Amino acid sequence: MLSRVVTLLTAVLLTACASISTPAEAPRVLIFSHSTGYRHASIEEAVVALRQSSEEAGYSVEATEDPDVFSAARLANVDAIILLDNTTNRQNPETDFFSGARGEAFQAFVRRGGGVVAIHGASGGHPNWPWYRQMLGAFFERHPPGEQDGRVTIVSPDHPATRGLPTTFVRHDEWYYFIDYDPTVRVLATWDPASIGEPDVNPNPISWVHEFEGGRVFYTGMGHFAEHYREPIFKAHLAGALRWVLRLEE
Amino acid sequence: MNLSRRHFAALTGASTLLAAAPALAQPNRRPRVLVFHKATAYVHPSIQTGIPMLNGIGEQDGYEIVATDDAEIFTTANLAGFDAIVWLCCTTDTQFPESEWLVGTKRDAVQAFVRSGKGIVGIHAAADSHHYWPWYGQMIGGYFDRHPASPNVRPGHLRVVDRTHPSTRDLPEVIERADEWYLFRDFNPEVNLLVVADVQSVQDPGSEPLRQQWYSSQNQATTRLRLPEANPKPISWHHDFESSRVFYTAMGHVPETFSEPLVINHISGGLRWALRRERRRGRG
């Protein structure tokens, strides 16, 4: 009996320790929305919404567009980075901003177990840095012109980012195709090209996760428009993703 | 065939057993496997070694192998006598829809075959076929897009990412072998990945990746964005598709491929699984 109580207590303690790295401190989230390529008009509103939902979840939040935040010192206190629409100009390698020490700080962050939630245009940056593409799992290739109502299917319902979401739903967005997609990532959601009149016959990946070099990475290609960041399904998707990369929920 | 099966079931009272365990092959006859190798685009010399390899697998595992390139075999009545179809390097031309031989009622017959729970094995250029029939691309799980050129056949560094499957459980985790390494378009990310190629398999070390030569059968390929590959590439996979089991491997370009014990093991395991004679470890 006593041993069972001890076991139970140990389990409770372990769970508490595992879920929050320093119980006294809130997880720290950095929202990073710098871009040197196509500038998404939704960024400002998205940052406000992401800040709000992250604060509601009990995290301490910093939002910045300063690429120098990618330094060992300034990332030292960060548990998760939200990469929002960080495009670069693919024709001009000089627009890549994760160069030199910034890139090294980013790698060190991931390798010490940091979390990354990367959204939409985050896959449209740094084509000249293979590590970034490995970390993210793909590179943005193109999207059909305009915006469409596309059908999304949740293919991994047992993940914090998808738990409780409808199995399939239609939403308005700009729909991405990828190149250099890593087929070993865990796909969470796909979109159906036929649902927007595209000729492709197989589903396309749209949200996925993987453990990468010690860190946890989530990416979604959804989220072009400002209203998405007030949309219950998309908000739940991102909030769950953030919990997963912060190791608060498995 | 149907009569004797019903007769057998009645005699042994096995009908409930068969209904309860549809995954098990019927014990009363040898599985029949159709090896189809018609090619109206590039004709792979490896077809000529692929057929004897599959005959050998048939001998070893107890199947009757029927190899043909006559598309007239695709009638519902003919296919009812088969348990699996192996698509062996059966190319059609991406530029010419009329090069496709699965048309009209032949399509209906293949769909009925798949939907009745039979097995499908696709080898190499089976993914470079019927680009104008969406259902075919869904069945395979992707379409051939391109492969490195000059040389097209080159050393490959493969990783087995799932060793619970009959096609991979005897394979080492890392495989070094030469082949023509495919990259796919319209790849279904929901298939169950078995083997990937690391990027060095499709890139020349030390050379500028964007300046490397590629062969593509897609006419619009030149306008597409190209980057040095950084992520692994799918090579072999399986999925359940419309009641059937589909196994595909991109290996198999050169005639020598089909005398490699490792490739024979991979394909024979894939065929056993597609025929439902063997399950994944710990799964269905």
Side-chain angles (χ1 to χ4, degrees), chain A residues 90 127-128 130-131 133-135 137-142 153 155 179-184 187 190 193 199-205, chain B residues 133-135 137-143 159 161 185-190 193 196 199 224-234:
Chain A
R90 35 167 102 152
N128 309 297
W131 185 87
R133 197 150 68 249
Q134 292 167 350
M135 186 269 298
F139 190 80
F140 163 75
E141 182 193 23
R142 65 184 177 90
T153 300
V155 295
I179 56 170
D180 204 10
Y181 167 75
D182 181 348
T184 66
V187 191
T190 58
D200 273 25
V201 302
N202 284 311
N204 255 303
Chain B
W133 186 24
W135 187 89
Q138 293 168 348
M139 170 184 67
I140 297 293
Y143 280 113
R159 278 186 297 131
V161 295
R185 67 177 179 87
D186 207 351
F187 171 72
N188 183 349
E190 298 174 29
L193 204 57
V196 297
V199 283
R224 298 210 326 246
L225 174 67
R226 283 288 164 75
L227 289 179
E229 307 295 331
N231 285 315
K233 307 296 158 201

Side-chain angles (χ1 to χ4, degrees), chain A residues 74-240:
Chain A
R74 290 176 68 183
L75 290 183
N77 290 327
V78 174
D79 298 305
I81 299 170
I82 297 179
L83 292 175
L84 178 65
D85 292 334
N86 317 93
T87 58
T88 63
N89 180 349
R90 35 167 102 152
Q91 313 298 335
N92 181 5
E94 285 172 21
T95 63
D96 291 7
F97 47 84
F98 286 139
S99 43
R102 291 174 186 161
E104 285 164 25
F106 198 168
Q107 288 179 321
F109 169 82
V110 167
R111 288 167 186 164
R112 72 163 160 81
V116 175
V117 168
I119 304 172
H120 194 61
S123 68
H126 298 88
N128 309 297
W129 191 24
W131 185 87
Y132 185 78
R133 197 150 68 249
Q134 292 167 350
M135 186 269 298
L136 226 59
F139 190 80
F140 163 75
E141 182 193 23
R142 65 184 177 90
H143 62 77
E147 49 199 84
Q148 298 86 15
D149 290 326
R151 177 161 291 280
V152 173
T153 300
I154 300 297
V155 295
S156 297
D158 188 24
H159 187 276
T162 51
R163 220 163 267 148
L165 299 191
T167 309
T168 177
F169 46 91
V170 172
R171 52 187 303 288
H172 193 76
D173 211 321
E174 175 186 81
W175 296 99
Y176 274 14
Y177 285 90
F178 301 97
I179 56 170
D180 204 10
Y181 167 75
D182 181 348
T184 66
V185 299
R186 178 178 173 192
V187 191
L188 300 179
T190 58
W191 70 276
D192 177 11
S195 69
I196 65 164
E198 282 284 298
D200 273 25
V201 302
N202 284 311
N204 255 303
I206 197 64
S207 300
W208 59 80
V209 288
H210 67 153
E211 308 254 2
F212 178 73
E213 296 189 358
R216 284 188 167 186
V217 179
F218 163 92
Y219 173 80
T220 181
M222 298 187 272
H224 183 73
F225 295 104
E227 58 265 33
H228 295 148
Y229 298 86
R230 300 185 291 269
E231 184 187 301
I233 286 180
F234 193 57
K235 280 177 72 176
H237 192 42
L238 295 178

Side-chain angles (χ1 to χ4, degrees), chain B residues 8-269:
Chain B
F8 175 84
L11 272 179
T12 60
S15 55
T16 47
L17 187 75
L18 286 174
L24 299 175
Q26 284 116 30
N28 58 334
R29 67 172 175 87
R30 291 198 304 165
R32 292 182 80 224
V33 177
L34 173 64
V35 175
F36 195 74
H37 55 87
K38 184 180 176 75
T40 51
Y42 182 73
V43 181
H44 283 72
S46 62
I47 290 171
Q48 293 315 315
T49 59
I51 296 167
M53 173 196 67
L54 287 155
N55 280 330
I57 290 172
E59 236 166 78
Q60 174 200 296
D61 289 353
Y63 316 141
E64 183 186 340
I65 303 287
V66 178
T68 183
D69 62 356
D70 180 0
E72 295 307 315
I73 197 153
F74 292 109
T75 67
T76 301
N78 284 341
L79 291 188
F82 289 99
D83 301 285
I85 300 173
V86 178
W87 306 110
L88 177 62
C89 298
C90 49
T91 56
T92 65
D93 196 317
T94 45
Q95 315 299 316
F96 300 106
E98 58 274 21
S99 70
E100 299 190 353
W101 24 263
L102 288 175
V103 289
T105 56
K106 297 186 178 76
R107 290 187 177 186
D108 301 337
V110 173
Q111 287 182 323
F113 179 83
V114 161
R115 290 168 185 160
S116 69
K118 304 290 184 71
I120 296 288
V121 169
I123 298 177
H124 192 58
D128 190 14
S129 194
H130 292 78
H131 294 260
Y132 294 89
W133 186 24
W135 187 89
Y136 185 90
Q138 293 168 348
M139 170 184 67
I140 297 293
Y143 280 113
F144 164 73
D145 180 39
R146 60 203 162 107
H147 61 70
S150 310
N152 59 325
V153 176
R154 52 179 68 200
H157 184 81
L158 307 181
R159 278 186 297 131
V160 179
V161 295
D162 176 1
R163 294 172 82 205
T164 66
H165 191 266
S167 70
T168 50
R169 69 173 55 131
D170 298 332
L171 302 187
E173 269 174 67
V174 173
I175 299 166
E176 311 278 349
R177 56 175 299 276
D179 212 315
E180 182 185 75
W181 302 111
Y182 276 8
L183 278 75
F184 296 88
R185 67 177 179 87
D186 207 351
F187 171 72
N188 183 349
E190 298 174 29
V191 299
N192 304 294
L193 204 57
L194 295 167
V195 180
V196 297
D198 281 347
V199 283
Q200 62 259 42
S201 312
V202 293
Q203 266 157 201
D204 295 318
S207 79
E208 163 60 68
L210 291 179
R211 298 204 186 284
Q212 285 174 35
Q213 288 189 297
W214 292 86
Y215 166 81
S216 171
S217 56
Q218 297 293 304
N219 51 359
Q220 76 273 25
T222 48
T223 63
R224 298 210 326 246
L225 174 67
R226 283 288 164 75
L227 289 179
E229 307 295 331
N231 285 315
K233 307 296 158 201
I235 292 297
S236 302
W237 60 79
H238 70 89
H239 67 147
D240 292 331
F241 176 69
E242 297 191 359
S243 310
S244 79
R245 288 181 165 189
V246 179
F247 166 83
Y248 171 81
T249 180
M251 300 182 216
H253 184 72
V254 293
E256 293 75 21
T257 305
F258 296 127
S259 51
E260 292 176 46
L262 192 146
V263 174
I264 299 169
N265 187 295
H266 189 45
I267 292 172
S268 66

